[in-house]
Amino acid sequence: MASPTIPSSNVDSSTPNIVQARLPKLSPEFIAQHYPSEVKLLHVHLVHRHGERTPSSHRFPSISPRYWNFCAQGNRLHADFAKAVKVYSPNSETDKDSNNYRQWHSYMFKSDSPTNASIFLKENLSKAHSNDKSQLTPDSCGFGQLSDVGRRSLTALGAHMRALYTDALGFLPAVPRPGDNNGPTEDFYLRTTSFSRTFESLQHTLGGMYPNLPSNSPLFRINARPMSSENLYPEYHCKSSGWFHTEGTMESIKLFAEDYAALHKEILQIPSLREPFEAELKRGATHAAYFVLDTVTSMRSHGLPLPKEIDDELIARVSNMSAVEYLHPPIRSTKRARMQIGPLAREFTHTVVSAVEADRGISTGKQRPPKMSIYSGHDSTIGPLLAIFGDDLAGSPSLKTSTSPMWPPFASSLRIELLKDSVSPYPTIQPSWAGDVSTNSVDMSTIPHDERIRPLNVPDSLYRWAPRQANNASDVPFNPRATRDYYVRIWYNDRSVQLPACLDPGAHHTKLGPSVCTLDGFFKQIARFVPSESEFSQEYLALTNTKGKLSE
């Protein structure tokens, strides 16, 4: 790799509070330790949560302001865009609560937009905000809107990616290269959900990676899907999926019933939170902890004062119980994880396979894979992915004593690095989970999910390859060690993730250790979570027929 050059603009790992994501401190020592010269980067998946935002709805007017005035930059950008496409509506003094004032919409696609967020409690607004001094201004945010704080966080994330992958490693180009016929750059594959906050978060990530690009720079092609076909988060909206997720939440809450009851009782003792709980929330029947987390983390991130009872310890415990409500079910159940995030993991697998084939010089007739794929998503993207990677978000035996928040903070990021090392010794022992050649080469669709050693969309041809031979030829014998030069490492914020399948001495890099999986170790870890398209369709139909009841 290129000799490390660490710019002065490096992002520090220190953070003001516990609700913000951390990034590793880059240094020559860090680069030398994790990116030695014999290791080559082939591809990077970057999956990030959007930046800091306002609460998704106004659930606790007794502690949070009616107007969140943290969107000055965002509102100017929205207004400029609205003017450019000739849909701008001027301010109206008689209709200040309408979208005409902010020119902002929560979703990119009109078909995805729900009814506007409203006050959570069924009470008089003037009474709820009797002590509120906030005023509606041009800086006021909508509910769930990416704030200027969030814009800065994602710009910092992009700057960190540039410092690491461009300045230190020379992996990404200093300026994006144009595609064929001077089209959009093919160095990146870019995806976002249809929420405005994720689209804008991606925009600012790219801005941090490539600040002050010249006007003749190639365009970025950004891909987005309507909610009906999105796989960057679990499907919560159709009825059978709703039943499915509710069942999983209820089962997880039962496992942590004592902790859940203690936290619920403690929250009820906070005067400013008691009324919403008593009026609207039934413990065990709805995502009570997450409703609190949604407001208090947004307030903490924007420097708004919280009641003295809501300290870092309580926020951490509420974060952990929110993880139980939303993120623990896929940790506990392979099938839940497969249904929630399996299709996205299948896409990741396809990109990794394509990058290996491209490195081997195999022409598949398809466009060469990008250097980096960036997915701008949500906490409900990061959490299930961590579950399939074996990183136990909600595994603390007692949530009453855990002080480290488990819920993915704003601007959290996962990086999946595909590496190549043809120099270092490959493990000489076979992993305990590996089978013989006949087992490896058998049709994986005939093997139960939990016994598979690679996802179904990993082609047999990946193992029927040898240098200087006819690649992909049927007469090339199956070689279970054909991928021996390739490795995968996963980072979550400021730390590497050790995949359980890669702890086996035969499944990780002999020098860099368990955090750097062999490619086969990575495949083994995710294999049981990656359904084929037909399997996913069949399992989804089964959910519909059983009203969301799970049968493993």
Side-chain angles (χ1 to χ4, degrees):
M1 293 196 175
S3 58
T5 302
I6 309 301
S8 58
S9 61
N10 177 45
V11 179
D12 201 328
S13 63
S14 60
T15 55
N17 58 60
I18 67 169
V19 297
Q20 291 178 326
R22 303 170 68 93
L23 293 170
K25 175 72 174 179
L26 299 185
S27 66
E29 294 75 20
F30 178 89
I31 298 299
Q33 177 183 355
H34 298 288
Y35 301 91
S37 58
E38 64 269 22
V39 174
K40 175 185 177 183
L41 266 171
L42 298 182
H43 182 269
V44 178
H45 280 99
L46 169 62
V47 187
H48 66 73
R49 186 188 178 192
H50 55 75
E52 287 84 347
R53 56 157 172 78
T54 58
S56 57
S57 63
H58 201 175
R59 294 188 174 96
F60 298 102
S62 55
I63 65 170
S64 62
R66 180 175 183 179
Y67 300 112
W68 290 63
N69 296 324
F70 298 96
C71 295
Q73 181 186 10
N75 288 345
R76 285 196 299 271
L77 291 173
H78 279 279
D80 289 344
F81 176 78
K83 291 174 182 177
V85 297
K86 303 185 186 308
V87 297
Y88 179 79
S89 300
N91 294 342
S92 169
E93 292 297 320
T94 60
D95 192 21
K96 284 189 174 182
D97 282 323
S98 72
N99 278 333
N100 290 341
Y101 194 70
R102 287 185 292 269
Q103 312 296 323
W104 172 81
H105 298 276
S106 182
Y107 295 85
M108 295 166 58
F109 302 114
K110 188 175 181 179
S111 60
D112 289 346
S113 297
T115 57
N116 290 333
S118 60
I119 294 294
F120 191 61
L121 289 177
K122 303 174 178 65
E123 60 180 283
N124 182 276
L125 263 182
S126 59
K127 176 185 175 182
H129 291 282
S130 58
N131 298 318
D132 186 6
K133 306 299 183 184
S134 65
Q135 298 291 324
L136 182 65
T137 75
D139 300 349
S140 297
C141 310
F143 291 117
Q145 183 175 354
L146 182 73
S147 70
D148 294 345
V149 175
R151 293 172 188 276
R152 290 193 292 271
S153 293
L154 270 298
T155 300
L157 176 63
H160 185 87
M161 296 300 108
R162 181 180 181 87
L164 176 59
Y165 293 118
T166 299
D167 299 335
L169 301 177
F171 173 65
L172 293 176
V175 177
R177 298 169 297 188
D180 294 339
N181 302 315
N182 286 322
T185 180
E186 296 174 0
D187 291 324
F188 295 90
Y189 173 76
L190 306 172
R191 269 275 303 280
T192 176
T193 67
S194 65
F195 288 77
S196 296
R197 59 180 175 266
T198 54
F199 179 85
E200 294 174 83
S201 292
L202 176 57
Q203 177 189 19
H204 283 272
T205 301
L206 293 172
M209 295 178 69
Y210 293 105
N212 305 315
L213 282 176
S215 59
N216 62 347
S217 298
L219 298 175
F220 292 99
R221 178 185 288 112
I222 296 177
N223 300 272
R225 302 175 183 178
M227 191 178 294
S228 59
S229 58
E230 186 57 81
N231 64 9
L232 277 173
Y233 49 75
E235 170 61 81
Y236 292 117
H237 302 283
C238 81
K239 186 174 292 186
S240 58
S241 291
W243 290 325
F244 177 62
H245 296 302
T246 298
E247 180 193 38
T249 295
M250 298 302 295
E251 291 175 357
S252 293
I253 287 175
K254 289 178 182 178
L255 292 176
F256 293 88
E258 183 180 347
D259 293 329
Y260 196 92
L263 179 61
H264 196 273
K265 181 179 179 180
E266 185 173 341
I267 290 175
L268 285 176
Q269 293 173 354
I270 301 175
S272 54
L273 300 183
R274 182 186 304 123
E275 188 173 0
F277 262 65
E278 292 178 341
E280 300 285 347
L281 303 178
K282 296 179 180 179
R283 177 166 56 87
T286 139
H287 297 98
Y290 176 75
F291 289 152
V292 177
L293 185 74
D294 183 56
T295 295
V296 300
T297 54
S298 294
M299 293 181 67
R300 182 67 187 277
S301 297
H302 293 88
L304 294 173
L306 286 165
K308 66 180 186 301
E309 299 92 344
I310 305 178
D311 55 14
D312 282 2
E313 181 180 355
L314 183 63
I315 291 175
R317 290 172 56 205
V318 171
S319 165
N320 300 343
M321 189 53 69
S322 298
V324 169
E325 292 176 339
Y326 269 101
L327 306 181
H328 189 258
I331 292 174
R332 188 173 48 79
S333 164
T334 298
K335 187 168 186 177
R336 291 191 189 282
R338 191 162 61 244
M339 294 299 293
Q340 288 190 358
I341 210 69
L344 180 62
R346 185 171 65 241
E347 288 188 21
F348 291 172
T349 304
H350 173 77
T351 303
V352 166
V353 169
S354 297
V356 170
E357 291 176 336
D359 179 69
R360 289 174 169 177
I362 298 174
S363 176
T364 61
K366 300 178 182 178
Q367 181 178 330
R368 183 177 179 85
K371 284 180 166 291
M372 176 178 274
S373 301
I374 305 180
Y375 293 77
S376 184
H378 306 263
D379 41 21
S380 53
T381 309
I382 300 288
L385 284 174
L386 285 171
I388 71 172
F389 295 148
D391 196 74
D392 195 344
L393 275 171
S396 172
S398 176
L399 299 180
K400 291 183 292 186
T401 59
S402 178
T403 56
S404 178
M406 297 177 182
W407 191 266
F410 294 119
S412 287
S413 60
L414 271 170
R415 287 180 285 130
I416 308 171
E417 297 176 331
L418 176 63
L419 309 168
K420 182 179 182 181
D421 182 357
S422 303
V423 178
S424 301
Y426 194 73
T428 57
I429 60 175
Q430 192 177 46
S432 58
W433 42 258
D436 55 24
V437 173
S438 61
T439 301
N440 278 286
S441 59
V442 75
D443 180 1
M444 287 292 157
S445 65
T446 64
I447 299 177
H449 287 95
D450 287 346
E451 298 176 19
R452 293 175 183 175
I453 60 174
R454 63 178 183 271
L456 293 182
N457 62 330
V458 175
D460 198 53
S461 60
L462 201 68
Y463 297 87
R464 297 186 183 278
W465 181 89
R468 298 178 298 279
Q469 291 192 24
N471 297 330
N472 298 316
S474 58
D475 58 344
V476 176
F478 187 95
N479 178 13
R481 295 172 69 86
T483 59
R484 59 175 293 162
D485 292 343
Y486 300 98
Y487 299 85
V488 172
R489 175 170 53 204
I490 298 175
W491 295 92
Y492 174 52
N493 293 333
D494 62 345
R495 63 178 174 85
S496 58
V497 176
Q498 293 193 0
L499 280 63
C502 302
L503 297 177
D504 190 300
H508 61 250
H509 196 280
T510 53
K511 292 184 177 180
L512 297 179
S515 64
V516 179
C517 296
T518 62
L519 182 59
D520 285 340
F522 172 71
F523 284 159
K524 171 59 180 176
Q525 176 64 39
I526 67 173
R528 65 186 183 275
F529 302 109
V530 182
S532 67
E533 291 186 20
S534 61
E535 285 178 332
F536 184 81
S537 298
Q538 291 168 7
E539 290 183 340
Y540 199 91
L541 180 62
L543 285 182
T544 302
N545 293 336
T546 61
K547 293 187 177 182
K549 294 294 182 181
L550 176 68
S551 58
E552 289 283 4

